[in-house]
Amino acid sequence: MNSMNALRLSLSVAALLAAGSAAADAKADDAARQLATRSGCFICHAIELDAKGPEGLKPVGPPWKAVAARYKGAKDARKNLTTAVMGGTSPYNRHWKDESSGIAMPPNGVAISEADAAKLVDWILGLQK
Ligand code: HEC
């Protein structure tokens, strides 16, 4: 094989690999959205920053892109957020007072396993603005 063909071959292999990983990302994204839907998260949360809730108010819970922006890279973010999702949050210590219209998140442990909650938290923390 001459070097031009070798270059073409390796470029198309790279393109195939990139397409494969984009497809895998899209699949993981779909699975996470379905899990969030089944678990009732979207009753209160949106993904996008400019989403509106009922009556044009802010959504009940903070948009998940805002959650990602606040906690991405923060120490213990995965553990703390999974605990918040499972056990709920305190209305006396609101983390999202000005960015949501709900006063607290109820415990979701009845709707989702801890392992699935951690999976969702990982996905949320990976969302880009
Ligand atoms: C009944 C409404 C409701 C549901 C259902 C709900 N949330 Fe929330 N969520 C909230 C509210 C309200 C807050 C903001 C709490 C605060 O200000 O401290 C919140 C906060 C969060 C936070 C940020 C917590 C923090 O400490 O900053 C994450 C992450 C989150 N929710 C994920 C989820 C996931 C995942 C689900 C589904 C399993 C879910 N929520 C279901 C209302 C809800």
Side-chain angles (χ1 to χ4, degrees):
M1 192 179 336
N2 67 34
S3 64
M4 197 60 205
N5 283 343
L7 179 65
R8 280 207 192 97
L9 180 65
S10 59
L11 284 177
S12 51
V13 168
L16 270 177
L17 288 176
S21 87
D25 282 354
K27 219 168 150 197
D29 190 66
D30 260 13
R33 281 169 198 262
Q34 279 170 25
L35 178 59
T37 304
R38 280 202 308 280
S39 310
C41 313
F42 290 136
I43 294 170
C44 301
H45 289 278
I47 294 175
E48 299 303 326
L49 296 175
D50 56 356
K52 290 274 179 279
E55 306 292 337
L57 294 170
K58 289 182 175 99
V60 176
W64 282 345
K65 286 191 176 177
V67 174
R70 184 182 294 182
Y71 296 111
K72 197 178 280 188
K75 193 172 169 284
D76 296 332
R78 180 180 203 257
K79 185 168 142 274
N80 293 341
L81 293 180
T82 303
T83 302
V85 171
M86 293 308 283
T89 61
S90 166
Y92 301 108
N93 176 21
R94 293 171 63 185
H95 296 168
W96 296 93
K97 196 172 189 312
D98 301 319
E99 288 124 299
S100 64
S101 62
I103 59 161
M105 175 160 61
N108 291 286
V110 289
I112 192 168
S113 70
E114 184 155 352
D116 278 348
K119 248 189 238 169
L120 271 184
V121 165
D122 281 341
W123 177 69
I124 291 167
L125 288 172
L127 291 170
Q128 305 292 330
K129 264 210 171 160

